Amino acid sequence: MISIARSASAKHPARPGLLGLLALLLTWLLALPAAAEDGYDLWLRYRPLPAPVLKQYRDQGTQLVAPADTATQRAARDELVRGLSGLLGRAPALAAQARRDGAIVVGTPASLPQLAALQGELEGLGEEGYLIRSTRIDGRAATVVAANTDMGALYGSFHLLRLVQTGQPLAGLDLREAPKVKVRVLNHWDNLDRYVERGYAGESIWDWHKLPDWLDPRYTDYARANASVGINGTVLNNVNTSALALTPMYLEKAAALASVFRPYGIKVYLSARFSAPIEIGGLATADPLDPAVRQWWKDKADEIYRTIPDFGGFLVKANSEGQPGPQDYGRSHADGANMLAEALAPHGGIVMWRAFVYSHEEPDDRHKQAYNEFVPHDGRFADNVLVQVKNGAIDFQPREPFHPLFGAMPRTPLMMEFQITKEYLGFATHLVYLGPLYEEALRADTHARGPGSTVAKIVDGSLEGHALTGMAGVANIGVDRNWSGSHFDQANWYVFGRMAWDPHAGAEDIARDWARMTFSTDPAVVEPVVSMMMGSHQAVVDYMTPLGLHHLMGRGHHYGPGPWVEGGPRADWTSVYYHRADARGIGFDRTASGSNAVGQYAPPVAAQFGNLDTVPEEFLLWFHHVPWDHRMASGRSLWDELVLRYDRGVDYVRGMRRTWAALEGKVDTERHHQVAVFLGIQEKEAKWWRDASIAYFQTFSQRPLPEGAAPPPHGLEYYKSLQFPYAPGDGK
Amino acid sequence: MISIARSASAKHPARPGLLGLLALLLTWLLALPAAAEDGYDLWLRYRPLPAPVLKQYRDQGTQLVAPADTATQRAARDELVRGLSGLLGRAPALAAQARRDGAIVVGTPASLPQLAALQGELEGLGEEGYLIRSTRIDGRAATVVAANTDMGALYGSFHLLRLVQTGQPLAGLDLREAPKVKVRVLNHWDNLDRYVERGYAGESIWDWHKLPDWLDPRYTDYARANASVGINGTVLNNVNTSALALTPMYLEKAAALASVFRPYGIKVYLSARFSAPIEIGGLATADPLDPAVRQWWKDKADEIYRTIPDFGGFLVKANSEGQPGPQDYGRSHADGANMLAEALAPHGGIVMWRAFVYSHEEPDDRHKQAYNEFVPHDGRFADNVLVQVKNGAIDFQPREPFHPLFGAMPRTPLMMEFQITKEYLGFATHLVYLGPLYEEALRADTHARGPGSTVAKIVDGSLEGHALTGMAGVANIGVDRNWSGSHFDQANWYVFGRMAWDPHAGAEDIARDWARMTFSTDPAVVEPVVSMMMGSHQAVVDYMTPLGLHHLMGRGHHYGPGPWVEGGPRADWTSVYYHRADARGIGFDRTASGSNAVGQYAPPVAAQFGNLDTVPEEFLLWFHHVPWDHRMASGRSLWDELVLRYDRGVDYVRGMRRTWAALEGKVDTERHHQVAVFLGIQEKEAKWWRDASIAYFQTFSQRPLPEGAAPPPHGLEYYKSLQFPYAPGDGK
């Protein structure tokens, strides 16, 4: 069609026949299948900008000066061409130097001599930072993206595109950005058979069987999406892993993925099974102090780095939930981690050693066990070990107080582990934006070195002066066309990346960026969407586990309400262990009169949480067993407040449905429809949570429902009878 | 953009500004993400026709007269609008009657009074047939699609679109079509956890967890694709099924799918677990002669039909490979099938009872067991029972002689079961067109009623006068974007549907239609593609299991060569059981001197297969144990011929790579690249098959390779050492 148009316009300028051509073009255009709005593009959705702002950006994107001599440079230039072509409706003219005002100039002092003058300004931006500045280059007004490295320039290119996508002016720019955290990784809980533990977006995107030969184009789009938010590493396999992931066949496959990710600055990591020396090495032991075992890991590391020269390192789940580990041999977590660290150190690799451990013997409140096991080893971990700590002490509940390990291991770099996939949060169909959860955890004050000792400062290393820092997110990615199982779950991948880059960033600002990039820059869309998102976390807390309740989900799969779950292999896998409801009241006494988990926090925090008068109401039943008639801040009794919180959660979802319904016509039909249906499921399930929970807890409280609260439509036995043997993601 | 263009052309006809507008349109058009050629569209790929033929079709598609008062009528009209808009570059004008020459008129005498005159012509077309005729309607030249039912008209609409897609002239049409087989069903071996047994295209497209609320638009596209080739039923769940598929929760989900499929004439069927009365009914037995069991199934059938009024019926795998069945209670397959048939009969449902059974005690050559178990019950099955028989007696091998049951049960309607998914055929990456395999099986002459008693005539009921007839295909469908795991595997879904509609159709004609619809109408593409496809089946036979060898694949997963497989729970799950290679020769003696499986065929067939001089070479080692030095038709020894057949298979794949490479630029980049990479994998694996097989069999033959044959690059131990614990589809 281009050639037709060109020849027509060259030979027959502006004559009536052109109208016919135009009409033909239009009809063909309409006949072509429209690019489906199926969510595959994620936030890298480069649709044409609205006409009113188009000219402004075109004047500032007349040319693109961006070298393409390395793979990362090509990635940056390709992304800018793709993005600007889509957003501005025409491809930018590529040029070796700026010849007109309005050029976009991207590079490093090494790749573009024009940028040599900026050398001094780049100090302090490190290997991943960049600056974006409105300045003059080659005597022309230009927008410059400059960095010390190609990767910095790629990150800056994505930032520049984000500015255009979100409608920010490009005039007078003077931005400096560098990540505050060094290791920003996704943890894929993906098995080698493509099953994803706690995955609600379909099976694993890693098509192991066809690797290394077939490199699905999706792998490149995965890398683009991650680089666009600053994620620089990915652990390919589940923490509950087979040792086979470390065999040559799988290393070759991992190397193929690494080759796709490398230009985007993404390192490949692998989960390592601690007993691999036995299972694939033929040794009789995996004792970390055994010389043969140590040598086996050194040889394995050498082999891995021959295959993947920039391999990132190992993630390890040891002595937890049945996984093997150093304690099997009477050794400590530090012994285990340091053995692997020793093998990786010559190659620059790191160990991410998970602190999510709890004893098989249940000697104590599970809340306390990670602290008990790790604090004694503070200072004993090798320099290239990060201890990876979940945000809370139980397990990715809708709301948890911050993990007491934060602030308790000053001599050890602690890495944050957030869950992006919504294991305990209703799976893919519930709209829950996790930005507020992450923000709450990161802004929590540990008081470890006095007021202001936030979790964010521990994670970014600034509180204790650690250089090795990290944040991990358990991925919510699968083969579903929209990657994350729902359109709104894409925002959780996005906000994880942005907060890993800057743990002090604000959840609402990020939500606004995401909504603009993903749906529309129209404020009539953006503001309602951001508003829905920002309240959605509190809503799920309300309709599932209000006032500090936790771990009340169905057994195993964690789908739907199961506050009645009891029995089975261990008490701390039941609901009754956590809510402890009885005729007197409800809640887990973790004060000095109970398990004294509060004692693991710094004294000011312990004092606050341990006192019924000062504990925040959102953690009330987390730390205290409270009588049903306890007077709440609202003046209501605990029982009445509990019921009203459940109702409030349901009401919020109902409100989201109304808000979303009003956006019909402002959001494309395809995505609008799916979100609308999912919100319908969420309302149905929020009611189910409320009704089942109230039906159950009322058997203890023996109190009437407060005025205005509707009784559950079914008896308790109905709710208890519901079974979901094939709920997704439960590990089978 | 439409409104811009309209106002511009109205106010400023044909002036220079229009050029700019045209340029703007073009750049925007180019900036829009092009509809990716990712294969999602299957053969319903309605891309604009090349300009030279466009006018002809436009003149014959000036208007569309097609009522849309029922869901099926709307499906037909929507498909015609979608198809013609895409193919002709503009939407057809909808009209209540033909007002211009060149109308397309679609309907039934009931839906369109204009078609009443055709009433007589529709006799004999039944409930699914149609005619397409160039005639005059409302006094205008028109192309008419007429049928007795809305479904017939929908089938005819797809046929008309196929004519346009494949570039057939629409002048002088006079086609009459009706299916020759009544029940044309896909068998999904999909588990309720979305795992697909023998699935190589990703997990199940049925998202059970989100059903019944979320109806993925893919379900509609699945129905369109099936209806376009005449498939009128789908068994949603695996034959190895959980009884839970029959519980209310899953029936509600199945009903939601049925509601999507209904307008497309596709009935939902379920696999029924024979022991369901125990597992979900609370009974102590599943004995088919027990009155309580019979009542349970009647009640269950009543319940199902209340939920799904047009439910198709049950598919049952009983007393086979560990599945429960009537023999557990000393009853026969007929007893079991008739009990279910009795429950379904009042509602018009049918039972498809699989003949793929073999004893746990291995009393005899597995080849003979289905015959031994079923033939004695011929005439004892209820009227609404079909016995579903695989094309061969072993299990979907690359090539098998026809199943001896065909022709041996004249009083029972036998349904064909083909495998579409490539369990024993290299999985998704091997290009193997199954049309020739299906054709070979259907055209095989059973001699049951003398010469010409083909399997096709048994399947279509004409040989014995059965009205209930059927063909089943084990689906190759999963969530992969291209549905089938590879672009060429779509052709196997397509050819299955076409041959289920007409078991006498030709594989090459169907391949040509498919290639035109899927890739291009350019003969420079179509003919090489069809040529690749038509030889691909013989090629895979050659490089995997030449000359009648069979069942030599890796244990369990059936991936790659495993001729050395021996031991394990039962002999007939090993390779050595089937090839019986020894120092003297190779092959399974199934003549009277051996297992005498040939005795199950009609005498002329038994005589042919049982005689070393007359057995077709492609079945030589299937029926005979043959000395290594046996002189073949080529004049070569068996050993030399065997080696050369392996080489021939590899050479064919190499040739397909060359052919495909030459099509670069003639096929879109995205699909061309994937096919090219897959052909590379196929060549690598074809060599692996050849080399491993030769290395193994040479240990018996002790003969040198014939001149020109390259020795295997590795020793036998290398090939035996390869392990694939996570190969897809092996049922875990």
Side-chain angles (χ1 to χ4, degrees):
Chain A
M1 284 159 64
I2 311 173
S3 62
I4 295 172
R6 277 194 187 140
S7 65
S9 61
K11 293 181 196 160
H12 312 287
R15 60 179 60 180
L18 213 55
L19 260 182
L21 190 61
L22 190 62
L24 180 72
L25 266 171
L26 269 171
T27 50
W28 275 35
L29 176 60
L30 293 171
L32 285 172
E37 288 279 11
D38 53 19
Y40 181 83
D41 290 341
L42 296 162
W43 50 86
L44 301 177
R45 184 174 162 277
Y46 302 130
R47 297 291 192 280
L49 292 170
V53 299
L54 198 55
K55 183 171 181 316
Q56 168 207 334
Y57 287 111
R58 286 193 172 171
D59 291 346
Q60 285 164 322
T62 58
Q63 291 188 303
L64 177 60
V65 181
D69 296 324
T70 69
T72 298
Q73 288 172 13
R74 279 190 292 279
R77 196 172 79 175
D78 288 353
E79 193 71 30
L80 287 163
V81 168
R82 178 202 292 250
L84 296 172
S85 300
L87 291 160
L88 308 186
R90 66 181 178 207
L94 298 175
Q97 56 186 95
R99 298 189 184 279
R100 295 156 59 184
D101 282 347
I104 292 171
V105 181
V106 180
T108 67
S111 72
L112 266 187
Q114 297 97 312
L115 299 180
L118 287 168
Q119 184 81 60
E121 314 265 356
L122 297 172
E123 271 177 36
L125 291 177
E127 297 195 346
E128 299 184 306
Y130 54 86
L131 59 78
I132 304 181
R133 185 178 290 181
S134 306
T135 182
R136 296 188 78 81
I137 293 285
D138 301 329
R140 307 293 184 174
T143 304
V144 169
V145 177
N148 292 309
T149 66
D150 288 345
M151 259 318 295
L154 176 59
Y155 284 142
S157 300
F158 277 113
H159 193 142
L160 181 69
L161 285 168
R162 188 208 305 166
L163 294 176
V164 179
Q165 282 179 282
T166 56
Q168 308 304 305
L170 294 191
L173 287 176
D174 191 8
L175 295 168
R176 290 173 63 84
E177 276 278 345
K180 295 191 171 66
V181 171
K182 189 169 174 186
V183 177
R184 309 177 297 276
V185 292
L186 292 181
N187 287 184
H188 285 268
W189 286 359
D190 294 14
N191 295 345
L192 299 182
D193 65 359
R194 302 188 74 174
Y195 187 84
V196 181
E197 187 174 330
R198 310 308 174 185
Y200 313 107
E203 64 184 349
S204 171
I205 59 172
W206 316 134
D207 187 354
W208 292 109
H209 182 71
K210 298 198 194 80
L211 284 168
D213 298 276
W214 172 239
L215 298 173
D216 193 317
R218 189 160 196 159
Y219 302 150
T220 305
D221 291 326
Y222 167 87
R224 290 174 51 233
N226 279 322
S228 78
V229 291
I231 290 169
N232 66 0
T234 180
V235 186
L236 300 175
N237 57 324
N238 191 356
V239 291
N240 299 315
T241 184
S242 160
L244 292 176
L246 300 179
T247 56
M249 181 169 95
Y250 281 95
L251 293 178
E252 193 189 356
K253 295 169 189 284
L257 290 173
S259 72
V260 177
F261 302 159
R262 190 167 293 116
Y264 293 90
I266 295 164
K267 284 186 180 178
V268 156
Y269 298 74
L270 290 171
S271 290
R273 186 162 163 92
F274 199 79
S275 51
I278 301 171
E279 291 152 2
I280 62 170
L283 302 186
T285 177
D287 181 348
L289 300 192
D290 183 295
V293 173
R294 301 177 84 84
Q295 189 60 46
W296 187 88
W297 282 108
K298 283 179 190 167
D299 293 344
K300 181 53 71 179
D302 294 347
E303 176 194 353
I304 293 174
Y305 279 91
R306 281 194 301 274
T307 314
I308 310 171
D310 55 352
F311 180 67
F314 293 136
L315 171 63
V316 186
K317 174 177 181 176
N319 291 121
S320 176
E321 299 183 323
Q323 292 295 312
Q327 295 177 339
D328 301 348
Y329 307 95
R331 316 300 182 188
S332 73
H333 283 289
D335 294 329
N338 292 345
M339 171 188 65
L340 298 176
E342 179 186 53
L344 294 167
H347 308 284
I350 63 165
V351 173
M352 298 173 288
W353 191 270
R354 292 176 91 230
F356 179 66
V357 300
Y358 51 97
S359 159
H360 268 296
E361 289 74 37
E362 310 165 59
D364 205 348
D365 178 5
R366 175 166 150 192
H367 193 296
K368 296 164 64 182
Q369 295 187 38
Y371 181 102
N372 289 343
E373 290 206 32
F374 276 80
V375 167
H377 299 290
D378 187 31
R380 288 200 52 232
F381 288 93
D383 286 346
N384 58 334
V385 175
L386 279 159
V387 171
Q388 181 168 315
V389 183
K390 291 187 182 183
N391 59 287
I394 300 300
D395 189 16
F396 298 135
Q397 294 305 295
R399 170 171 275 141
E400 301 195 36
F402 69 91
H403 200 299
L405 272 177
F406 289 111
M409 294 185 73
R411 291 185 293 163
T412 307
L414 300 187
M415 183 175 183
M416 173 62 83
E417 177 176 324
F418 281 131
Q419 196 173 43
I420 307 172
T421 188
K422 304 212 309 298
E423 174 181 354
Y424 295 95
L425 291 157
F427 302 180
T429 49
H430 291 219
L431 194 167
V432 183
Y433 173 55
L434 298 179
L437 186 159
Y438 300 161
E439 183 180 274
E440 182 175 303
L442 289 163
R443 295 187 178 180
D445 194 344
T446 68
H447 288 266
R449 287 188 176 266
S453 303
T454 61
V455 171
K457 287 184 184 169
I458 292 162
V459 170
D460 74 13
S462 61
L463 193 71
E464 305 292 350
H466 291 299
L468 180 59
T469 56
M471 195 184 294
V474 181
N476 65 348
I477 297 165
V479 295
D480 273 9
R481 186 66 185 164
N482 65 23
W483 300 83
S484 300
S486 85
H487 298 295
F488 273 89
D489 279 337
Q490 298 177 351
N492 295 327
W493 178 6
Y494 183 84
V495 68
F496 166 77
R498 293 285 301 272
M499 287 199 176
W501 180 277
D502 179 4
H504 307 273
E508 181 164 344
D509 292 343
I510 296 172
R512 191 164 283 109
D513 277 353
W514 176 82
R516 286 173 171 152
M517 295 164 85
T518 304
F519 283 119
S520 169
T521 51
D522 180 356
V525 174
V526 174
E527 294 313 313
V529 164
V530 170
S531 161
M532 286 167 62
M533 292 168 74
M534 289 306 295
S536 62
H537 172 240
Q538 183 62 47
V540 74
V541 170
D542 284 342
Y543 66 69
M544 285 188 182
T545 51
L547 298 174
L549 289 174
H550 51 289
H551 212 297
L552 307 183
M553 293 74 185
R555 192 197 294 272
H557 49 61
H558 302 153
Y559 172 65
W564 46 78
V565 169
E566 60 185 342
R570 48 186 300 160
D572 57 359
W573 285 356
T574 69
S575 299
V576 298
Y577 175 87
Y578 292 103
H579 66 67
R580 307 200 170 198
D582 55 25
R584 199 180 67 83
I586 183 172
F588 196 136
D589 182 1
R590 292 192 167 107
T591 68
S593 63
S595 76
N596 199 27
V598 292
Q600 296 183 333
Y601 290 100
V605 179
Q608 186 200 16
F609 288 172
N611 185 332
L612 196 55
D613 296 330
T614 57
V615 65
E617 277 193 350
E618 63 259 36
F619 298 130
L620 178 67
L621 306 181
W622 189 283
F623 288 112
H624 300 271
H625 190 76
V626 183
W628 294 113
D629 290 328
H630 173 79
R631 196 58 46 191
M632 303 290 289
S634 63
R636 286 186 282 267
S637 72
L638 169 61
W639 169 247
D640 285 0
E641 183 72 23
L642 188 68
V643 172
L644 292 175
R645 292 283 177 125
Y646 280 117
D647 260 336
R648 190 174 77 173
V650 172
D651 285 345
Y652 191 88
V653 178
R654 210 177 276 125
M656 287 201 291
R657 290 189 74 177
R658 280 193 302 269
T659 303
W660 187 254
L663 295 180
E664 192 172 355
K666 293 195 175 74
V667 168
D668 55 280
T669 312
E670 194 173 353
R671 290 187 296 170
H672 190 275
H673 173 65
Q674 190 185 68
V675 171
V677 172
F678 281 18
L679 285 169
I681 294 173
Q682 186 176 10
E683 184 183 343
K684 192 167 74 171
E685 296 190 349
K687 287 176 177 165
W688 168 35
W689 263 99
R690 176 194 64 189
D691 296 334
S693 301
I694 291 174
Y696 174 72
F697 289 126
Q698 201 172 22
T699 65
F700 299 97
S701 80
Q702 296 292 333
R703 281 158 175 78
L705 296 183
E707 201 176 342
H714 301 278
L716 177 59
E717 289 314 309
Y718 166 80
Y719 298 109
K720 291 171 78 165
S721 75
L722 300 175
Q723 298 293 322
F724 305 93
Y726 299 109
D730 76 347
K732 296 192 170 171
Chain B
M1 284 159 65
I2 312 173
S3 60
I4 292 172
R6 277 192 187 142
S7 65
S9 61
K11 291 180 195 160
H12 312 289
R15 60 180 61 179
L18 213 54
L19 261 182
L21 190 61
L22 190 62
L24 180 73
L25 266 170
L26 269 172
T27 51
W28 275 35
L29 175 60
L30 293 171
L32 285 172
E37 287 279 11
D38 54 18
Y40 182 83
D41 290 341
L42 295 163
W43 50 87
L44 302 176
R45 183 175 162 276
Y46 302 129
R47 297 293 192 279
L49 291 170
V53 299
L54 199 56
K55 183 172 182 314
Q56 167 207 334
Y57 287 111
R58 284 192 174 172
D59 290 346
Q60 285 164 322
T62 57
Q63 291 187 304
L64 177 60
V65 181
D69 297 324
T70 69
T72 297
Q73 289 172 12
R74 279 191 292 278
R77 195 171 80 175
D78 288 353
E79 194 70 31
L80 287 163
V81 168
R82 177 202 292 248
L84 296 172
S85 300
L87 290 161
L88 307 186
R90 66 179 180 209
L94 298 176
Q97 57 185 98
R99 298 190 184 281
R100 294 156 59 186
D101 282 346
I104 292 171
V105 181
V106 179
T108 67
S111 73
L112 266 187
Q114 296 98 312
L115 300 180
L118 288 168
Q119 184 82 60
E121 314 265 354
L122 298 172
E123 271 176 36
L125 291 176
E127 297 196 345
E128 297 184 307
Y130 54 87
L131 61 78
I132 304 180
R133 184 178 291 183
S134 305
T135 182
R136 295 189 77 82
I137 293 285
D138 301 329
R140 307 292 184 175
T143 304
V144 169
V145 177
N148 292 310
T149 65
D150 289 345
M151 260 318 295
L154 176 59
Y155 284 142
S157 300
F158 278 113
H159 193 142
L160 181 68
L161 284 168
R162 188 208 304 166
L163 295 176
V164 180
Q165 282 179 282
T166 57
Q168 308 303 306
L170 294 191
L173 288 175
D174 191 9
L175 295 169
R176 290 173 63 84
E177 277 279 344
K180 296 192 171 65
V181 172
K182 189 169 175 188
V183 178
R184 308 176 297 276
V185 292
L186 291 181
N187 286 185
H188 285 268
W189 286 359
D190 295 13
N191 295 343
L192 300 181
D193 65 359
R194 301 189 75 174
Y195 187 84
V196 182
E197 188 174 329
R198 311 308 174 185
Y200 313 106
E203 65 184 349
S204 171
I205 58 172
W206 315 135
D207 187 354
W208 291 109
H209 182 71
K210 298 198 193 82
L211 283 168
D213 298 276
W214 171 240
L215 298 173
D216 194 316
R218 190 161 196 157
Y219 303 150
T220 305
D221 291 326
Y222 167 88
R224 291 174 50 234
N226 279 323
S228 77
V229 291
I231 291 168
N232 66 359
T234 180
V235 186
L236 299 175
N237 56 324
N238 192 354
V239 290
N240 298 314
T241 184
S242 160
L244 293 176
L246 300 178
T247 56
M249 182 167 93
Y250 281 95
L251 293 179
E252 193 189 356
K253 294 169 190 283
L257 290 173
S259 73
V260 176
F261 303 158
R262 190 168 293 116
Y264 294 90
I266 295 164
K267 285 187 180 179
V268 156
Y269 298 74
L270 291 171
S271 290
R273 188 165 161 88
F274 199 78
S275 50
I278 301 171
E279 291 152 2
I280 61 170
L283 302 187
T285 176
D287 181 349
L289 299 192
D290 183 296
V293 172
R294 301 177 84 84
Q295 189 60 47
W296 187 88
W297 282 108
K298 283 179 190 167
D299 293 344
K300 180 54 70 179
D302 294 347
E303 176 193 353
I304 293 173
Y305 280 91
R306 280 195 301 275
T307 315
I308 310 172
D310 54 354
F311 180 67
F314 293 136
L315 171 64
V316 187
K317 175 177 180 176
N319 291 121
S320 176
E321 299 183 323
Q323 292 295 315
Q327 294 176 340
D328 301 348
Y329 307 95
R331 316 300 183 189
S332 73
H333 284 290
D335 293 331
N338 292 345
M339 169 188 65
L340 298 175
E342 178 186 56
L344 295 166
H347 308 284
I350 64 166
V351 173
M352 298 172 288
W353 191 270
R354 291 176 92 231
F356 179 67
V357 301
Y358 53 97
S359 158
H360 267 295
E361 289 75 35
E362 307 165 59
D364 205 349
D365 178 4
R366 177 165 148 193
H367 193 297
K368 295 164 63 181
Q369 296 188 37
Y371 180 103
N372 289 343
E373 290 205 33
F374 277 81
V375 168
H377 300 289
D378 186 31
R380 288 200 51 231
F381 288 93
D383 287 346
N384 57 336
V385 175
L386 279 159
V387 171
Q388 181 168 317
V389 183
K390 291 188 183 183
N391 58 289
I394 299 300
D395 190 14
F396 297 136
Q397 295 305 295
R399 169 170 276 139
E400 300 195 35
F402 70 89
H403 201 300
L405 273 176
F406 289 111
M409 295 184 71
R411 291 185 292 163
T412 308
L414 300 187
M415 183 174 183
M416 173 62 82
E417 178 176 324
F418 282 130
Q419 195 174 43
I420 307 172
T421 188
K422 302 211 310 297
E423 173 180 356
Y424 294 95
L425 291 157
F427 302 178
T429 50
H430 291 220
L431 195 167
V432 183
Y433 173 54
L434 297 180
L437 186 159
Y438 301 161
E439 183 180 274
E440 182 175 304
L442 289 164
R443 294 187 178 181
D445 193 344
T446 69
H447 288 265
R449 288 189 177 267
S453 301
T454 62
V455 172
K457 287 185 184 169
I458 292 162
V459 170
D460 74 13
S462 61
L463 193 71
E464 305 292 348
H466 291 298
L468 180 58
T469 56
M471 195 184 295
V474 180
N476 66 348
I477 297 164
V479 295
D480 273 10
R481 187 65 184 164
N482 65 23
W483 299 84
S484 300
S486 85
H487 298 295
F488 273 89
D489 278 338
Q490 297 177 351
N492 295 327
W493 179 5
Y494 183 85
V495 69
F496 166 77
R498 293 284 300 273
M499 287 200 179
W501 180 277
D502 179 5
H504 306 273
E508 181 163 343
D509 292 343
I510 296 171
R512 191 164 282 110
D513 277 353
W514 176 82
R516 285 174 172 152
M517 295 163 86
T518 304
F519 283 119
S520 170
T521 51
D522 180 356
V525 174
V526 174
E527 293 313 314
V529 164
V530 170
S531 161
M532 286 167 62
M533 291 168 75
M534 288 306 294
S536 63
H537 172 240
Q538 182 60 47
V540 73
V541 170
D542 284 343
Y543 67 70
M544 285 188 181
T545 50
L547 298 174
L549 289 174
H550 50 288
H551 212 297
L552 307 182
M553 293 73 185
R555 193 197 292 273
H557 48 62
H558 302 153
Y559 172 64
W564 47 78
V565 168
E566 60 185 341
R570 48 186 298 161
D572 58 359
W573 285 356
T574 69
S575 299
V576 297
Y577 176 86
Y578 292 103
H579 67 67
R580 309 205 168 192
D582 55 26
R584 197 180 69 83
I586 183 171
F588 196 138
D589 182 0
R590 290 191 168 107
T591 68
S593 63
S595 78
N596 200 26
V598 292
Q600 294 183 335
Y601 290 101
V605 178
Q608 186 199 16
F609 289 171
N611 184 333
L612 196 55
D613 296 329
T614 56
V615 66
E617 277 193 351
E618 63 259 34
F619 298 130
L620 178 67
L621 307 180
W622 189 283
F623 288 112
H624 300 270
H625 190 75
V626 183
W628 293 111
D629 290 327
H630 174 78
R631 196 58 47 191
M632 303 291 289
S634 64
R636 286 186 283 267
S637 72
L638 169 61
W639 169 247
D640 286 0
E641 183 73 24
L642 188 68
V643 173
L644 292 174
R645 293 283 176 123
Y646 279 117
D647 259 336
R648 189 175 78 174
V650 172
D651 285 345
Y652 191 88
V653 179
R654 211 177 274 124
M656 287 200 291
R657 290 189 75 179
R658 280 193 303 270
T659 304
W660 188 254
L663 296 179
E664 192 172 353
K666 294 195 175 75
V667 168
D668 57 280
T669 312
E670 194 173 354
R671 288 187 298 169
H672 190 275
H673 173 64
Q674 190 185 69
V675 171
V677 172
F678 281 17
L679 285 169
I681 295 172
Q682 186 176 9
E683 184 184 342
K684 191 168 74 172
E685 297 189 349
K687 288 176 179 165
W688 168 36
W689 263 98
R690 176 194 63 187
D691 296 336
S693 301
I694 290 175
Y696 174 73
F697 288 127
Q698 201 173 22
T699 65
F700 298 98
S701 80
Q702 296 292 332
R703 280 156 176 79
L705 298 184
E707 203 176 342
H714 300 279
L716 177 58
E717 289 313 308
Y718 166 79
Y719 298 109
K720 292 171 78 165
S721 76
L722 300 175
Q723 297 293 323
F724 306 93
Y726 299 109
D730 75 347
K732 297 189 172 170

